[in-house]
Amino acid sequence: MTLCYYVTGHGFGHAIRTAQVLKALPADMPIIVKTTVPERLFREELRGREFRYIHAEYDCGCVQPDSVTILKRESLDRYAAIAARNRTILSAEASFLRDNAVSVVVTDISPFPLEAAQLAGIPAIAATNFTWYDIYKPFVETAADESMLAEIAAQYGMATVALISGLHTPTTTLPFPVVEHVPLTARKGVRRRTELDTFLNGHPSPAISTSALHIGLLYMGTWGLDIDWDVVERIPGWRFVTYDALPRPLTNVTLLSRDQWIYADVVASVDAVISKVGYGTVTDSIANSVPQVHLPRRDFVEYDALVAGMDLWGGRVEMSEAEFIAGQWDTALASALNVTMNPNAFRTDGAEVIARRIVEMAGRQ
């Protein structure tokens, strides 16, 4: 009863939610993960869970110079090149699934694996809150683009079932013949605020007091953002933590070790998350009742769905891109301390629901 899970390498949010599903599966279920996301991310999330990792690319998502800007033409052209290569390896991919006794395929959210699964005669699940059909449709310019979009829709149509998460785009369901709605897939952390305070007090800054401070978690996305860190360093009353090295050390920012600090635990322990909007950052905030301060995300249709969901929950504070990049966060951070959140706005047990469906479908083989 082997599972093969294909994960897009566009950002890390897809990999993070995939990891939550894998955690919820029976410990003795053999798992193959095929993706361009670094293996270390899955090892960090799935501590002690056995799986086979294969570095492989079947889609590109969007081409981006930073975490909020999309190069539309480059994205379509890059995907077209990958799609052309996929056509040449279709038979080989189907043979891989058969040769490895795969019982069920899951994709988040490359469409090609669904075609390979159909050719291999294996049930296939699309687990997502948007599709590349949704994302690329507004970018289309040429007849070739339209043809590529039609191929993407046809491949999504080969799914046995689509498990659509909350915070999905309005058109997510369109390509799929069978749809089931599932709760959010999210990481629930353990609040370790006392430990975090003690840790930060052991790394005091000569420029700020270590008492009566608010703590913010910084995450600038896979591609980063060109922030005016000199201004951030002067924000009063706040101290920040991050897992990603900044261009230079800041007196009010402490770098955390992934080995010592589980990301979800840190989210649960801070006063605000300062980030770009993505499924992973949003669901982390919702599941742990921690407000998120963010900038807009242009030209990505998922953004509107995520923002609408955050408004139902109540924990978002938006800045203009200019303010965010300029490091002028003071007002937004103050607002984050006064938001009213609805902890019952969304169920967050989507990983368990998806895992049960995977086991059920694998058992049918």
Side-chain angles (χ1 to χ4, degrees), residues 197-266:
D197 283 336
T198 300
F199 175 78
L200 293 179
N201 288 340
H203 296 76
S205 163
I208 59 175
S209 167
T210 57
S211 62
L213 289 174
H214 299 297
I215 303 175
L217 171 61
L218 305 181
Y219 177 64
M220 298 297 121
T222 306
W223 297 272
L225 290 165
D226 188 16
I227 306 294
D228 189 334
W229 296 110
D230 292 340
V231 176
V232 171
E233 194 168 26
R234 296 194 295 270
I235 294 175
W238 282 80
R239 190 152 187 187
F240 304 101
V241 293
T242 184
Y243 289 87
D244 303 308
L246 302 181
R248 69 170 180 84
L250 270 65
T251 57
N252 60 345
V253 178
T254 300
L255 190 65
L256 299 180
S257 163
R258 288 181 170 87
D259 292 333
Q260 183 177 1
W261 294 96
I262 295 171
Y263 188 91
D265 291 353
V266 174

Side-chain angles (χ1 to χ4, degrees), residues 11 34 45 58 75 79 94 101 127 140 142 168 176 195 206 230-231 235 250 269 271 292 317 325 358 363:
K34 302 190 82 171
E45 285 290 320
Y58 303 100
S75 298
Y79 185 90
V140 165
T142 69
H168 64 83
F176 299 110
E195 293 175 69
D230 292 340
V231 176
I235 294 175
L250 270 65
S269 304
D271 298 297
Q292 182 174 140
V317 178
I325 296 299
I358 290 171

Side-chain angles (χ1 to χ4, degrees), residues 31-316:
I31 295 169
I32 302 169
V33 176
K34 302 190 82 171
T35 184
T36 57
V37 174
E39 183 177 0
R40 62 98 183 149
L41 185 147
F42 289 95
R43 298 295 174 193
E44 289 168 4
E45 285 290 320
L46 300 169
R47 298 170 194 242
R49 180 62 158 95
E50 290 299 318
F51 64 94
R52 177 184 172 193
Y53 173 90
I54 298 174
H55 187 274
E57 182 181 48
Y58 303 100
D59 72 87
C60 63
C62 294
V63 177
Q64 299 185 222
D66 60 45
S67 288
V68 295
T69 305
I70 294 174
L71 304 178
K72 300 176 187 178
R73 185 68 259 161
E74 289 87 341
S75 298
L76 294 177
D77 292 344
R78 174 71 179 134
Y79 185 90
I82 294 172
R85 187 189 66 208
N86 286 344
R87 293 183 207 109
T88 69
I89 63 170
L90 176 60
S91 295
E93 194 65 27
S95 295
F96 170 87
L97 296 173
R98 287 190 295 261
D99 293 346
N100 285 274
V102 171
S103 301
V104 62
V105 163
V106 183
T107 183
D108 183 349
I109 53 173
S110 172
F112 170 72
L114 300 169
E115 185 175 10
Q118 185 181 78
L119 183 60
I122 297 168
I125 298 170
T128 189
N129 71 309
F130 71 87
T131 67
W132 293 128
Y133 181 89
D134 298 326
I135 303 302
Y136 294 154
K137 192 173 183 5
F139 303 170
V140 165
E141 298 174 328
T142 69
D145 296 340
E146 291 284 2
S147 179
M148 184 183 76
L149 201 65
E151 180 184 45
I152 290 172
Q155 289 173 323
Y156 281 133
M158 297 174 190
T160 308
V161 63
L163 304 181
I164 306 299
S165 167
L167 307 180
H168 64 83
T169 63
T171 56
T172 301
T173 61
L174 292 182
F176 299 110
V178 180
V179 169
E180 296 176 13
H181 292 277
V182 300
L184 300 182
T185 298
R187 293 182 288 189
K188 185 75 171 79
V190 175
R191 184 169 171 82
R192 298 169 59 189
R193 181 55 176 260
T194 300
E195 293 175 69
L196 186 58
D197 283 336
T198 300
F199 175 78
L200 293 179
N201 288 340
H203 296 76
S205 163
I208 59 175
S209 167
T210 57
S211 62
L213 289 174
H214 299 297
I215 303 175
L217 171 61
L218 305 181
Y219 177 64
M220 298 297 121
T222 306
W223 297 272
L225 290 165
D226 188 16
I227 306 294
D228 189 334
W229 296 110
D230 292 340
V231 176
V232 171
E233 194 168 26
R234 296 194 295 270
I235 294 175
W238 282 80
R239 190 152 187 187
F240 304 101
V241 293
T242 184
Y243 289 87
D244 303 308
L246 302 181
R248 69 170 180 84
L250 270 65
T251 57
N252 60 345
V253 178
T254 300
L255 190 65
L256 299 180
S257 163
R258 288 181 170 87
D259 292 333
Q260 183 177 1
W261 294 96
I262 295 171
Y263 188 91
D265 291 353
V266 174
V267 174
S269 304
V270 299
D271 298 297
V273 173
I274 300 93
S275 181
K276 57 92 176 174
V277 169
Y279 185 92
T281 60
V282 169
T283 55
D284 283 345
S285 290
I286 290 173
N288 294 285
S289 295
V290 174
Q292 182 174 140
V293 176
H294 67 89
L295 75 168
R297 192 175 181 185
R298 302 184 302 274
D299 300 324
F300 203 72
V301 297
E302 183 196 24
Y303 175 77
D304 291 338
L306 294 174
V307 164
M310 282 199 287
D311 285 341
L312 288 174
W313 162 61
R316 83 178 184 96

